[in-house]
Amino acid sequence: MTTTTSAPAAAPDHVRTAARPASSRLKAWATRAPLLPALIFMIAVTQLPFVATLVISLFDWNALYPDARHFTGLANYGDVLTDPDLRRSVWTTILLTVAVVLASLVLGLALALLLDRRFKGRGVVRTLLIAPFLVVPVAAALLWKHVLYNPEYGLLNGLLHYVGGPQPDWISNTPLLAVEASLVWQWTPFMMLILLAGLQSRDQQQIEAARVDGAGDWQIFVHLTLPHLRRYLELGALLGSIYIVQNFDAVFTLTSGGLGTANLPYTVYQSFYQAHENGLASAAGVLVVIGSIVIATFALRVVSSLFREEVGRA
């Protein structure tokens, strides 16, 4: 009598296909698990406060009269968009952002073209030019306010006194220009670094071929360099705009929002800490965040297009 042993039956196909996705999902969660604490922390410190601000913006809420708090819907947003002082601060924010970004881009491009050339001591010059961007914003504003702008012992009036010129009070006479100058000084190195990276990524063979064909420096700059730097100029303008729109340090330190220099972030500060209008200040803050998100969206698109161009070039 012989005994036959049969091999174990293979698992059905649907069981194997169900087991594979389960194991792949487990591996995916295992690789993502170390990121969960950072994600939870980011949500706790950024998203939850924004949600709270969004909720507060829907209430008529004065901190001095907490019992009079009541729901008003979008009325605070209507007040922000129709109040003359707030509209003036929006216009000041736009003017400040455009002036600082354009001036920083022009000066940054000039300095980037300078550093793109080889000369003795280029590393030292580059380090010195980057230094203003590394200064703490409040410290930079204090530097301009006391070391440069002070009418009695400031450096600017000292130089004018040396040549027999006038002794103006820079902040009182040109308040918005004084704020813009300090921000341009601090943000020009940032623009310079971005544009210098763009200059160093140019196709040198194309430039040499243009020189062989008889093209001069100006023709190469207009027809080759500027088109190549277009994406880098856009990136610098967008990233600079994101910061300048939210700038508070320079306005608060130099002018305390007076003399027509109060931008939207400073107006939010006044509404919240001085007028104690929590709902109105929250609505203005939400509008600032929405504007920053819009600008950041365009910035991310520019960055992604730059990466695609670099990958295609490689």
Side-chain angles (χ1 to χ4, degrees):
M1 182 177 179
T2 61
T3 60
T4 59
T5 59
S6 59
D13 291 339
H14 68 276
V15 175
R16 291 198 301 269
T17 55
R20 278 198 297 266
S23 61
S24 62
R25 284 196 297 269
L26 185 60
K27 290 180 181 179
W29 277 109
T31 56
R32 294 170 184 168
L35 299 176
L36 286 178
L39 179 62
I40 295 172
F41 177 79
M42 186 186 68
I43 292 175
V45 300
T46 61
Q47 304 307 312
L48 293 182
F50 178 72
V51 172
T53 303
L54 190 62
V55 172
I56 294 173
S57 69
L58 303 177
F59 286 83
D60 183 2
W61 187 346
N62 190 303
L64 299 178
Y65 307 99
D67 296 334
R69 179 182 60 201
H70 61 277
F71 180 79
T72 59
L74 300 178
N76 287 325
Y77 293 93
D79 292 340
V80 171
L81 298 175
T82 57
D83 184 79
D85 292 334
L86 289 172
R87 282 189 297 179
R88 194 178 304 114
S89 68
V90 171
W91 170 248
T92 302
T93 303
I94 294 173
L95 187 62
L96 182 68
T97 302
V98 172
V100 171
V101 169
L102 288 180
S104 300
L105 280 175
V106 173
L107 293 175
L109 178 59
L111 294 175
L113 290 171
L114 172 66
L115 292 179
D116 191 50
R117 300 175 178 272
R118 294 186 178 274
F119 57 89
K120 190 175 182 179
R122 184 175 67 165
V124 176
V125 173
R126 181 169 50 195
T127 302
L128 293 175
L129 291 175
I130 295 173
F133 186 65
L134 305 178
V135 179
V136 178
V138 174
L142 288 172
L143 174 70
W144 278 79
K145 182 177 183 179
H146 295 290
V147 178
L148 295 175
Y149 288 148
N150 191 281
E152 297 180 1
Y153 54 81
L155 181 61
L156 295 180
N157 280 3
L159 294 175
L160 290 175
H161 177 73
Y162 181 76
V163 299
Q167 301 289 295
D169 188 343
W170 297 93
I171 295 179
S172 299
N173 296 343
T174 55
L176 190 60
L177 185 62
V179 175
E180 291 170 352
S182 66
L183 290 174
V184 168
W185 174 79
Q186 193 169 23
W187 275 90
T188 295
F190 176 78
M191 304 298 183
M192 179 194 71
L193 290 176
I194 292 180
L195 296 177
L196 183 60
L199 288 173
Q200 294 178 350
S201 67
R202 290 178 300 173
D203 187 356
Q204 296 299 324
Q205 294 182 351
Q206 189 180 31
I207 295 176
E208 292 175 2
R211 293 190 185 279
V212 170
D213 291 338
D217 291 337
W218 177 251
Q219 292 173 316
I220 292 175
F221 175 74
V222 172
H223 299 288
L224 293 179
T225 303
L226 273 184
H228 175 76
L229 290 179
R230 182 177 66 87
R231 291 291 185 184
Y232 296 89
L233 289 168
E234 293 176 356
L235 178 61
L238 289 169
L239 293 179
S241 299
I242 291 174
Y243 176 81
I244 303 300
V245 164
Q246 305 176 53
N247 180 266
F248 173 81
D249 309 84
V251 175
F252 177 80
T253 305
L254 289 173
T255 63
S256 296
L259 304 173
T261 60
N263 58 350
L264 194 52
Y266 188 84
T267 304
V268 173
Y269 161 78
Q270 283 184 315
S271 300
F272 191 84
Y273 286 102
Q274 296 180 4
H276 303 285
E277 290 287 350
N278 296 350
L280 194 63
S282 298
V286 169
L287 292 180
V288 173
V289 171
I290 292 175
S292 302
I293 290 174
V294 171
I295 299 174
T297 301
F298 286 104
L300 290 174
R301 289 185 178 180
V302 173
V303 171
S304 63
S305 65
L306 278 174
F307 279 125
R308 286 195 298 268
E309 289 180 4
E310 292 297 330
V311 171
R313 192 179 295 114

